[in-house]
Amino acid sequence: MKFSVVPVTAFQQNCTIAWCEKTCRAAVIDPGGDVSQITKVLEQNGLTLEKILLTHGHIDHAGGTAELAAQFGVPIEGPHRGDGFWIEQLAQQSQMFGFPQVESFEPTRWLEDGDNVLVGNSVLQVLHCPGHTPGHVVFYDAESNVAQVGDVLFQGSIGRTDFPGGNHDELLHSITEKLFALGDDVRFIPGHGPQSTLGHERETNPFVAGRHG
């Protein structure tokens, strides 16, 4: 797969366009907003949008979902149904964080740990990684060895757990038992900020350094 990161919204959230090189069929992962910027990348690369994938239900990751899905007539897959309450409250989230008013939606498919998601001929593995939110999922492409981790893990930091449904112990478990088990050489695209590798974070990240999966 190929990946193009488009920072969107005032939160500079890393929306990712992921596509199968053989078919040029694509998924947009976490369209938080600025939909016109996202569609421009699709057009520039000659891609056919096949679906929208969500790591979790926070507005900076899901705010543009309803608009994008309606524009292209594509299904929405993810997150885990544990984040249903966040998606139902998107309108309240938009007011709380000063975002443009957005529509709520019902995902076409809730995802579970161990599920697979198809994008063209490529397969993304789904890991349920709660802690930042109860229904947070991670998408892992074994072929390119890249993980889309949302707000679970960052370069030098980890996700916040002070929002409703957050749980610090669950987050640490998700990182050490689920993510680190994928292997040190896995490159990951976080929800915000620069990319890193799982091995680098396992060794240097002050929140999880020295913990092994």
Side-chain angles (χ1 to χ4, degrees):
M1 296 194 80
K2 292 194 72 173
F3 303 88
S4 180
V5 177
V6 185
V8 296
T9 81
F11 286 43
Q12 289 293 282
Q13 190 274 125
N14 288 333
C15 172
T16 300
I17 293 93
W19 68 93
C20 167
E21 293 183 83
K22 294 178 182 176
T23 63
C24 287
R25 299 186 70 82
V28 172
I29 304 172
D30 287 356
D34 298 329
V35 169
S36 62
Q37 294 183 34
I38 298 169
T39 57
K40 187 181 297 183
V41 174
L42 292 168
E43 293 166 3
Q44 288 172 344
N45 289 280
L47 304 175
T48 301
L49 183 60
E50 188 171 50
K51 61 186 61 178
I52 296 168
L53 302 178
L54 297 179
T55 62
H56 64 294
H58 285 166
I59 189 159
D60 56 322
H61 291 255
T65 302
E67 179 184 349
L68 190 65
Q71 183 176 338
F72 286 89
V74 294
I76 303 161
E77 300 191 15
H80 181 280
R81 66 177 60 251
D83 267 20
F85 74 101
W86 279 117
I87 293 173
E88 291 171 3
Q89 295 174 6
L90 278 172
Q92 293 96 308
Q93 288 190 63
S94 65
Q95 293 177 342
M96 185 183 307
F97 294 105
F99 275 63
Q101 192 64 32
V102 300
E103 293 182 35
S104 186
F105 55 88
E106 175 77 16
T108 314
R109 176 191 179 196
W110 296 104
L111 296 174
E112 301 283 346
D113 191 69
D115 281 348
N116 288 327
V117 170
L118 298 177
V119 181
N121 295 339
S122 299
V123 179
L124 295 174
Q125 300 172 25
V126 176
L127 290 75
H128 180 211
C129 293
H132 178 63
T133 66
H136 200 300
V137 297
V138 163
F139 300 101
Y140 173 57
D141 175 31
E143 190 175 4
S144 57
N145 215 23
V146 173
Q148 185 84 28
V149 303
D151 286 355
V152 173
L153 181 66
F154 304 103
Q155 184 187 81
S157 188
I158 61 175
R160 293 175 59 169
T161 55
D162 56 337
F163 291 120
N167 186 301
H168 185 73
D169 289 340
E170 277 191 339
L171 182 67
L172 293 179
H173 182 270
S174 292
I175 294 168
T176 58
E177 301 300 321
K178 294 280 188 71
L179 292 188
F180 286 171
L182 295 175
D184 284 353
D185 58 340
V186 173
R187 175 168 64 92
F188 70 88
I189 301 172
H192 306 265
Q195 301 176 28
S196 184
T197 66
L198 295 179
H200 180 76
E201 298 310 308
R202 186 176 58 78
E203 293 175 3
T204 66
N205 189 310
F207 296 93
V208 289
R211 295 174 181 261
H212 295 267

